[in-house]
Amino acid sequence: MTVTAQPVPILSDNYAWMLRESGSGAVAIVDPADAQPIIAALEKAGGRLDLILLTHHHADHIAGVDEVRAHFSSAKVVGAAKDAHRLPKLDRQVNEGDSVALGNASARVIDTPGHTRGQINYFFGDGEILLSGDTLFSLGCGRLIEGTADEMFASLRKLAALPSGTRVCCGHEYTESNARFALSVDPNNAALKARTEEAHRQRAAGQPTVPSTMASELAANPFLRAPDVATFADFRAKKDSFR
């Protein structure tokens, strides 16, 4: 059994992620903010939906949930217990360390505060897939809207400990803009230069730049490479005003 992940482009630069577990054929969608393209993608893939997984409460991640749920009436919605008051109605509320089954596979819930207080990520060991929402991006990380630098640094340390082959399935197509900043603080990093060139080629070909891998992020992402909270906070503050 294994889980595969396919990005579904929505809105201006978001990705929802369609997951399929090979043994049972079970299907999940992650952060369905725009119902119509997501419903179309699911119907094209066979018209099945078992789970809707939510990473956090922002509208560009949840706005389409109720419409998608109405279309696929058997789908169950999963989200953070601590954010239940500001998420669509949840069929299951989860916390750090909980398991979420998708067919014969299961995801581990990882509490990742920083971008928001209630942000969670999902890690499927079967397929080594991380649904990182707005915590970890390719060559970047989420803006600190509700959380602190200490919280985000700790969240990223958790993710950095995942297997190196883990595919990082994030919520936005930000890689090229993240690369420009990353090169400003780490200009001599050969892995970063190579990843930047790869991202340019991918976008020129009309392809997504994600998923990346954890190994790639550890080699090139300045926020994962920051040795301490102070360095991380400095990078994050600089990125917030970078143009």
Side-chain angles (χ1 to χ4, degrees):
M1 61 182 178
T2 189
V3 177
T4 58
Q6 175 185 334
V8 181
I10 56 173
L11 305 175
S12 62
D13 56 29
N14 281 66
Y15 290 118
W17 290 88
M18 182 166 56
L19 311 176
R20 184 183 298 275
E21 193 274 307
S22 60
S24 66
V27 174
I29 195 77
V30 182
D31 289 350
D34 189 0
Q36 287 306 307
I38 288 165
I39 290 170
L42 289 166
E43 290 291 356
K44 184 177 180 180
R48 177 173 177 173
L49 182 62
D50 299 89
L51 285 180
I52 298 172
L53 303 177
L54 306 180
T55 63
H56 64 295
H57 74 283
H58 287 159
D60 67 325
H61 291 257
I62 66 170
V65 169
D66 288 335
E67 188 176 346
V68 172
R69 171 166 38 195
H71 190 87
F72 300 96
S73 58
S74 63
K76 303 300 183 185
V77 181
V78 180
K82 67 179 64 175
D83 259 1
H85 64 287
R86 56 184 183 175
L87 291 170
K89 182 180 178 182
L90 299 177
D91 296 292
R92 184 176 174 201
Q93 301 180 17
V94 294
N95 295 287
E96 167 85 21
D98 285 349
S99 293
V100 178
L102 177 65
N104 300 315
S106 64
R108 173 165 58 92
V109 175
I110 306 173
D111 193 23
T112 57
H115 180 61
T116 68
R117 293 286 184 186
Q119 174 107 201
I120 58 174
N121 289 185
Y122 302 87
F123 175 66
F124 283 91
D126 302 304
E128 294 191 343
I129 290 171
L130 173 68
L131 289 314
S132 64
D134 286 3
T135 301
L136 176 63
F137 299 122
S138 183
L139 303 182
C141 74
R143 188 183 294 266
L144 304 180
I145 294 177
E146 295 179 352
T148 66
D150 290 82
E151 286 174 325
M152 182 63 99
F153 184 77
S155 293
L156 293 177
R157 291 301 93 200
K158 289 183 188 179
L159 302 184
L162 294 173
S164 62
T166 297
R167 285 174 287 172
V168 179
C169 301
C170 60
H172 290 270
E173 182 56 71
Y174 287 166
T175 309
E176 287 187 302
S177 60
N178 285 340
R180 289 193 293 274
F181 171 75
L183 287 167
S184 76
V185 296
D186 195 7
N188 298 316
N189 184 324
L192 172 58
K193 291 178 181 178
R195 175 67 178 125
T196 300
E197 292 171 1
E198 177 188 44
H200 290 331
R201 290 194 299 271
Q202 289 169 322
R203 295 310 289 160
Q207 300 170 349
T209 64
V210 292
S212 61
T213 66
M214 190 59 69
S216 172
E217 297 307 318
L218 288 169
N221 187 323
F223 297 101
L224 277 189
R225 292 170 57 80
D228 49 50
V229 175
T231 304
F232 169 82
D234 178 60
F235 286 170
R236 187 59 262 177
K238 288 176 178 175
K239 178 66 167 65
D240 288 345
S241 59
F242 185 80
R243 297 292 181 270

